Amino acid sequence: MIEKQNPITILCYLFFVIFITMFSTNPIMLGISFVSGILLYCMLCGVKKTLVRLGYFIIFVAIIAIINPIFSRQGMTQLFWIGDFVVTLEALLNGVTIGVMFSSVIIWFGVLNVLLYSDKIIYIFGKFTPKIGTILSIALGLFPKYIVQYRKIDNNLKGLGLYDGASFLSKVKLKMHTLSTLITWSVEGAVLLSDNMSARGYDLKGKRVYGKYTFGVADGILLIVSLALGTSILVFMSLGSGSFYYYPTFKQIVWDSSVWIYFATFVFMNILAVIYLWEGVKWQFLKSKI
């Protein structure tokens, strides 16, 4: 399965995927990145959790699309006027693109958080920068705990009936009280965690880091493909392939010789999904042989 791949190859692959997404303005490439990220996240975390995230992303994209024309009044295709400023189609589409780009980066970081948990982070950075590896592993582990703890504190306040009949201002104060309680809890937990780690020798010099992950042929192939294809896409993007602009009017997408970058991006961003599906099919086949 993907979880058994060497963490270094996974990190390298996701590094290129996120960078391609961040530096692209082409709606086709961003659409490929978003759909590929959602598909892989759905495979790893299930349909229900993916639909919840997708709902948040749709709201986020809609908000950015509405806000962007307020700050950007460029564009030639006028849609309507609001007071003294005009809303243009170019500004609206640019806002949608920005929202999709941020949503794609977030979903790929979500995939990274699922595939590279604390043990793998320590494995990657432990030998070279143990302090950074420890900090990253702790940070990735604490955020989900903070979310769960926040919900517990908030549910306790709801159970006490403090939200019943409360005004909007009172609810805001209750949320701030919940946040203050969470900060106090997190500071106390951080001190205890620091003492526990010191007691277990995390800050000792010359300590060895145990790694249960091996580097096999499949890892080597994935690493080579990530370096070759990911670097090629980034280099050709910097040279103008797949470039896109929105002002003064959006560029027409022409299916010429540069169209290869769309297919390369599609193939590259679905490598892990293909590996996941292949492993699933192989597992079902082996089960049928029993």
Side-chain angles (χ1 to χ4, degrees), residues 73-255:
R73 303 184 183 182
Q74 305 179 60
M76 297 178 61
T77 309
Q78 299 180 3
L79 296 178
F80 52 87
W81 290 79
I82 300 179
D84 295 330
F85 72 91
V86 62
V87 176
T88 63
L89 178 62
E90 290 79 7
L92 193 64
L93 292 179
N94 189 28
V96 172
T97 303
I98 294 172
V100 172
M101 185 271 289
F102 278 109
S103 299
S104 302
V105 172
I106 292 171
I107 196 65
W108 281 111
F109 269 109
V111 171
L112 186 146
N113 192 33
V114 173
L115 295 179
L116 298 182
Y117 41 86
S118 58
D119 289 347
K120 294 186 178 183
I121 294 295
I122 293 177
Y123 169 78
I124 295 172
F125 296 100
K127 293 182 180 179
F128 308 104
T129 54
K131 292 184 178 180
I132 294 178
T134 304
I135 292 172
L136 289 175
S137 64
I138 292 173
L140 291 174
L142 286 180
F143 279 117
K145 293 180 180 179
Y146 287 161
I147 295 173
V148 172
Q149 186 65 20
Y150 177 87
R151 291 173 179 170
K152 286 183 179 179
I153 299 170
D154 198 50
N155 289 334
N156 287 335
L157 296 179
K158 291 178 181 178
L160 293 173
L162 299 180
Y163 279 95
D164 297 340
S167 62
F168 176 76
L169 184 60
S170 298
K171 290 181 180 179
V172 172
K173 290 181 178 179
L174 288 171
K175 294 294 184 182
M176 295 301 295
H177 174 73
T178 303
L179 184 61
S180 175
T181 306
L182 177 66
I183 292 174
T184 304
W185 175 84
S186 64
V187 171
E188 181 182 358
V191 173
L192 292 175
L193 181 63
S194 176
D195 292 339
N196 289 334
M197 294 181 69
S198 297
R200 296 180 181 183
Y202 273 82
D203 52 356
L204 294 178
K205 295 183 179 180
K207 67 182 182 66
R208 291 187 176 184
V209 179
Y210 170 73
K212 62 180 179 180
Y213 306 101
T214 58
F215 195 88
V217 177
D219 297 307
I221 294 174
L222 179 58
L223 183 61
I224 293 172
V225 171
S226 299
L227 291 173
L229 198 54
T231 303
S232 300
I233 293 173
L234 286 174
V235 169
F236 279 95
M237 281 175 57
S238 65
L239 296 176
S241 294
S243 61
F244 195 85
Y245 54 82
Y246 296 87
Y247 305 113
T249 186
F250 45 83
K251 178 182 177 181
Q252 296 294 327
I253 296 177
V254 181
W255 299 94

Side-chain angles (χ1 to χ4, degrees), residues 29-85:
M29 296 179 67
L30 289 175
I32 291 172
S33 177
F34 182 75
V35 174
S36 301
I38 287 291
L39 177 64
L40 183 57
Y41 190 84
C42 182
M43 292 178 180
L44 296 173
C45 300
V47 177
K48 184 178 180 180
K49 194 172 182 179
T50 305
L51 289 177
V52 172
R53 285 215 168 193
L54 187 59
Y56 287 129
F57 290 149
I58 293 173
I59 296 173
F60 176 74
V61 172
I63 292 173
I64 298 297
I66 294 171
I67 292 176
N68 189 63
I70 299 176
F71 297 97
S72 177
R73 303 184 183 182
Q74 305 179 60
M76 297 178 61
T77 309
Q78 299 180 3
L79 296 178
F80 52 87
W81 290 79
I82 300 179
D84 295 330
F85 72 91

